[in-house]
Amino acid sequence: MPMPAVATETPALARENTVYRKVVRRIVPFLILCYVASYLDRVNVGFAKLQMSDDLGFSEAAYGLGAGLFFIGYFILEVPSNLMLQRVGARTWIARIMISWGLVSAAFIFVTNEATFYVLRFLLGAAEAGFYPGVILYCTYWFPSYRRARVIAMFMSAIPVAGIFGNPLSGWIMDHFQGVNGWQGWQWMFLLEAVPALLVGVVTLFYLDDDVRAAKWLTDEEKSVVERAVADDTTHRTVDGRVWEAFREPRVWLMCFIYFCFVMGQYALTFWMPSFVESTGIEGNFAIGVLSAVPFLAALVAMNLFGRSADKRRERRWHLVIPSLMGAVGFSLSAVWNGSTALSLTALSIAAAGVLTCAPLFWSLPTAFLSGTAAAAGLAMINSVGNLAGFVSPYMIGALKDATGSASIPMHVLAVSLVVGAVAVLTTKKHVVNR
């Protein structure tokens, strides 16, 4: 594929690079920490399933429905939440989101039947609504589009990091706390893994700045460098202004469709990875957790390599198409190699490297043409509609597994979804998104 030439570094660009290294060091590691806490509380239900389904008598479809109901609450409140973030400021609103989802996540210790499971999954999605698109919007305040793919890839490294450390941790908690105080291991897991969200939520109130002007750790000259870079970048955006402009923009709906295709694969992995690994014959929650971390290690490497390359070359479309096709190949191979742990992990690693790389690179597309209030509404709408795949995907897998007794058919469905998403990416205009 043709790649644009890499720009030569001028003195002005060198100064900008220096300032942005400081900005990245201050903001990005903290946002990663926030997202690790978020993702851990969102998907640890995949590990809880290993015990909870048997304890409470859940079918595969019931688990899949409960896992997916998170995204219905998420969908309903996503746009209002992002508009509220723009109104009250990122610091206050992100802290509110984290504290509320930590409380709801801890409440999962009280799940006794399908109804309470469904209600709490819905409430967890409602509590967390706005966090992810809010962070994406927050990044547009600080980073021009030609720096954003790498930054968002670094931020979304939280997904594989949560898998690398969270999966073994979840397995260890469930094994070692089983029966303590009369509780099941999965109850202890929900309670203990809610604590980081509560603590980091409180710290957010004191650490995060609403915008560049509020950053006391930057000099006035450094603030001007950042503001100038962001201001120069927004001149090419074609959708700005009122909320409803985002809803009327056909490109926003195309972005919703593309993101839906990619999210189908993302949540298939995060909700079902422990079950996929267990189905190859592995026993013991900790062993399953350790092996489940392997595909996320592959994803961590891939998503940062692709993000760095996309920004360096200022090319977006093919950097998104290639990992989506990798994900499709990985899912197809996992359907064929499901009888071997080693081969299955290889296939799942290819799938994870592809699928999880798509998410950060995808957001370079809509942020290339959205700005202002339209960006707050548009990004939230894209994320909420796309994340409906988080409802469809786990429920589809559970229902097909109940109906057929095999995970092969849903793997092929996921592969097709990723191929369709890749084709849709190629319909975008490269002069708009390659910035």
Side-chain angles (χ1 to χ4, degrees):
M1 62 182 177
M3 293 290 186
V6 180
T8 302
E9 186 175 78
T10 63
L13 182 57
R15 176 57 180 155
E16 184 181 310
N17 288 339
T18 299
V19 173
Y20 267 106
R21 281 193 288 270
K22 184 175 181 179
V23 172
V24 168
R25 286 195 301 269
R26 168 75 184 194
I27 294 177
V28 176
F30 185 75
L31 293 178
I32 291 173
L33 178 63
C34 293
Y35 200 32
V36 167
S38 162
Y39 218 76
L40 188 61
D41 287 343
R42 182 186 303 189
V43 303
N44 58 9
V45 69
F47 246 93
K49 174 185 179 293
L50 300 176
Q51 287 183 346
M52 186 171 63
S53 289
D54 290 337
D55 289 345
L56 303 180
F58 290 177
S59 67
E60 297 288 296
Y63 163 74
L65 176 60
L69 277 171
F70 170 95
F71 296 97
I72 302 301
Y74 202 76
F75 172 78
I76 293 171
L77 292 178
E78 189 86 320
V79 173
S81 181
N82 225 34
L83 293 174
M84 187 61 70
L85 180 146
Q86 190 181 47
R87 179 183 294 270
V88 305
R91 179 177 60 86
T92 301
W93 197 245
I94 289 176
R96 193 285 305 164
I97 290 173
M98 296 190 69
I99 293 170
S100 61
W101 96 54
L103 293 173
V104 175
S105 185
F108 272 78
I109 63 174
F110 301 113
V111 170
T112 57
N113 52 42
E114 291 179 9
T116 53
F117 180 52
Y118 295 160
V119 169
L120 284 173
R121 285 297 294 177
F122 176 87
L123 291 177
L124 185 64
E128 195 176 321
F131 173 78
Y132 179 81
V135 171
I136 300 300
L137 178 65
Y138 186 65
C139 286
T140 67
Y141 298 165
W142 294 85
F143 301 98
S145 58
Y146 56 86
R147 295 182 182 275
R148 207 172 297 136
R150 182 183 176 188
V151 167
I152 295 176
M154 292 168 65
F155 165 65
M156 293 195 67
S157 295
I159 296 178
V161 167
I164 292 166
F165 295 102
N167 283 349
L169 175 63
S170 296
W172 182 84
I173 291 173
M174 288 170 60
D175 282 342
H176 286 77
F177 282 78
Q178 176 68 22
V180 175
N181 198 41
W183 290 358
Q184 300 297 317
W186 59 267
Q187 291 176 300
W188 278 108
M189 184 198 67
F190 280 125
L191 179 63
L192 295 177
E193 292 184 356
V195 173
L198 295 170
L199 294 178
V200 177
V202 173
V203 172
T204 299
L205 288 169
F206 302 95
Y207 186 86
L208 210 60
D209 299 296
D210 284 331
D211 51 37
V212 178
R213 277 291 117 191
K216 296 179 180 178
W217 44 274
L218 289 176
T219 66
D220 288 341
E221 187 268 338
E222 289 170 335
K223 291 177 183 178
S224 297
V225 169
V226 174
E227 289 174 332
R228 185 165 54 250
V230 173
D232 291 345
D233 184 58
T234 58
T235 57
H236 66 267
R237 297 183 192 174
T238 55
V239 182
D240 193 358
R242 298 180 180 179
V243 170
W244 293 108
E245 289 189 27
F247 291 90
R248 293 196 299 263
E249 172 58 45
R251 287 176 295 179
V252 170
W253 291 103
L254 175 62
M255 295 297 109
C256 291
F257 176 74
I258 293 171
Y259 197 48
F260 184 95
C261 292
F262 294 157
V263 171
M264 282 285 290
Q266 178 180 330
Y267 285 109
L269 285 171
T270 52
F271 283 132
W272 286 94
M273 182 74 79
S275 296
F276 292 156
V277 173
E278 184 185 41
S279 69
T280 66
I282 301 300
E283 297 180 357
N285 293 318
F286 182 69
I288 292 171
V290 171
L291 291 177
S292 296
V294 172
F296 292 107
L297 281 168
L300 182 62
V301 174
M303 66 197 307
N304 283 285
L305 288 177
F306 272 88
R308 183 185 296 268
S309 176
D311 276 351
K312 184 177 181 180
R313 292 170 172 79
R314 300 198 182 186
E315 198 286 326
R316 309 298 174 187
R317 299 194 309 163
W318 284 104
H319 278 85
L320 189 51
V321 168
I322 290 174
S324 66
L325 296 180
M326 285 173 54
V329 170
F331 279 124
S332 294
L333 289 176
S334 70
V336 177
W337 291 346
N338 59 4
S340 164
T341 300
L343 291 177
S344 181
L345 279 177
T346 300
L348 291 171
S349 295
I350 296 171
V355 168
L356 296 184
T357 296
C358 288
L361 293 175
F362 164 80
W363 290 104
S364 297
L365 273 59
T367 55
F369 61 85
L370 288 170
S371 65
T373 304
L379 295 177
M381 185 176 74
I382 292 165
N383 194 58
S384 60
V385 173
N387 270 286
L388 286 177
F391 171 78
V392 174
S393 180
Y395 183 64
M396 178 271 293
I397 293 174
L400 287 177
K401 285 184 70 177
D402 276 344
T404 66
S406 169
S408 296
I409 293 176
M411 294 299 99
H412 291 305
V413 173
L414 295 170
V416 170
S417 174
L418 291 167
V419 171
V420 171
V423 173
V425 168
L426 292 176
T427 67
T428 61
K429 297 179 180 179
K430 65 180 181 180
H431 73 273
V432 173
V433 299
N434 285 350
R435 295 182 183 276

